[in-house]
Amino acid sequence: MSEIKKLTTPLTEEQIKGLKAGDQVSITGVIYTARDAAHKIMVDAIAQGEDLPVNLENQVIYYAGPTPAKPGKVIGSCGPTTSGRMDAYSKAMIEQGLKGMIGKGPRSKEVIEAMKEYGVVYFAAIGGAAALIADSVKEAEVIAFPELGPEAIRRLKVEDYPCIVAIDSEGNNLYEIGVQQFKEE
Amino acid sequence: MRKVSVNEIIKSVREMCISAACDLPADVEKLIKDAVKVEESHFGRYSLEKIVKNVELARKEHAPMCQDTGIVVIFAEIGQEVQIIDGHFEDAINEGVRQGYEEGYLRKSVVEDPVLNRKNTGDNTPAVIYTEIVPGDKIKIQVLPKGAGSENMGALKMLKPAEGLEGIKDFVIKSVTQAGGNPCPPVIVGVGIGGTMDKCALLAKKALARSAGEPHPNQEYAALEKELLEKINKLGIGPQGFGGKVTALAVHIETYPTHIATMPVSVNLNCHAARHKEVVL
């Protein structure tokens, strides 16, 4: 299997074009956590023409809601949540300039079409491997919606966060390719 | 009449909430390690190896293995010769959950209203509590923190008796196929058959409380579990849905008598972090 590709955020068009479904990558830089409730508030804000708490231009959103940090730690366990629940919101986020999404599990056709149109990549992290993933998080800060608790938007600084390119900007989809390869009968 | 203080219940539930989140039971860990040996897909093996490493790290650092530390499902068997003293049973369970989630730095994932006001209750209560009155003077409490990624992929169908065994198999396979990579495979598949609509859903959840991989005591149902497991593992979904040989670690069936006119079947999936703890007081 190919070597691990190192990526830095914010993502550039060149970085995104060089990624293919099935590539192993490690991400370094700033990423933002946001999940169901935060997405709903942001998409409602977009519809009202209001500003978002984060400028999404070229940014990466990580679908995650960490456990509370223990004393002396920057964050608790911090694995990906099911991306499919964000499908209803993702097109609106992509239209705001979002270039990368990190989560787990397949995406809808509509999201994949928007990814192709705007040049966006979807990374999969290992669902459940939350203690391990927390080691890649070097800084964490709540920047919006603290009242949402685990669903608040956090600005994370990550180093060598390991992911797999699950769906690339051309729409190649590891969830389909991989399953077809191993399906029997 | 044997007396059991609610303080004992609070303490046990508190400890089980914390240990369930951080310490995967040996039965599940063994099945995951066995899966590494048979998985042929590159990303499947990669995922399983990371999962094993994560389980070991979580145990060593007393950190939750998954950030979704779940909504707490409680199965309690209360001996009819036990008198619970110093308080109310369900309050004690919820107090144990409250203390465990706070002291264990676990994520509070429960909202107070499902639709109108999805405000976090802030302490992961209430738990979902099922009690059964049984003979004897002991109390058995099982704690199953249930993550929603897998819970969302559950399904229930009221089959006609004429649809028979084939109808059941088709429904289970279809449910796992539709779930795909979402429930964090490899999964444990809980299957409930019989009872009424509500009882059937509960049976599927109870199936997840069984020791992972332990076959049904009835040989014919045990054979059906084996057949379903083999069929599921031919779907190609694989660990994390990246494709592979191991989509499920085990299939557990629970049954109950039912009405002449019906044959309910339900599927409740658990992720690879199939957490379960129990205590007998």
Side-chain angles (χ1 to χ4, degrees), chain B residues 38-207:
Chain B
V38 298
E39 183 52 71
E40 291 173 15
S41 108
H42 169 79
F43 289 117
R45 235 182 7 256
Y46 169 87
S47 305
L48 291 169
E49 283 164 3
K50 290 266 186 201
I51 288 165
V52 169
K53 214 169 144 192
N54 182 64
V55 165
E56 289 165 353
L57 183 70
R59 186 176 291 135
K60 190 174 130 223
E61 294 193 354
H62 304 290
M65 66 193 97
C66 181
Q67 78 289 341
D68 186 353
T69 47
I71 183 167
V72 178
V73 177
I74 299 278
F75 288 118
E77 290 177 11
I78 302 174
Q80 63 183 13
E81 289 155 48
V82 182
Q83 186 189 0
I84 294 164
I85 57 166
D86 303 325
H88 182 257
F89 178 74
E90 292 203 354
D91 291 346
I93 296 284
N94 284 323
E95 183 57 27
V97 169
R98 196 171 286 125
Q99 291 182 10
Y101 275 69
E102 193 55 38
E103 289 169 27
Y105 293 88
L106 309 183
R107 195 180 85 185
K108 290 87 178 176
S109 311
V110 177
V111 291
E112 62 183 38
D113 183 282
V115 191
L116 305 176
N117 180 13
R118 290 184 65 91
K119 184 175 175 288
N120 201 300
T121 60
D123 59 9
N124 220 51
T125 68
V128 175
I129 304 170
Y130 299 102
T131 52
E132 207 178 325
I133 307 297
V134 298
D137 65 355
K138 300 273 195 291
I139 298 178
K140 178 173 153 186
I141 302 174
Q142 287 180 299
V143 171
L144 281 84
K146 189 67 173 68
S150 58
E151 188 71 4
N152 277 342
M153 299 296 131
L156 182 138
K157 196 172 181 189
M158 305 305 286
L159 296 182
K160 295 179 185 74
E163 292 179 81
L165 199 48
E166 287 310 309
I168 291 170
K169 289 183 205 168
D170 287 350
F171 179 67
V172 173
I173 300 290
K174 201 171 144 202
S175 301
V176 176
T177 306
Q178 276 176 350
N182 285 314
C184 280
V187 290
I188 292 180
V189 184
V191 180
I193 310 172
T196 48
M197 191 178 91
D198 50 322
K199 178 75 177 180
C200 185
L202 179 55
L203 290 171
K205 177 72 95 240
K206 274 207 107 164

Side-chain angles (χ1 to χ4, degrees), chain B residues 5-19:
Chain B
S5 168
V6 289
N7 295 320
E8 270 189 75
I9 295 168
I10 294 170
K11 183 167 168 282
S12 299
V13 170
R14 176 180 70 216
E15 286 168 5
M16 285 192 285
C17 286
I18 298 171
S19 68

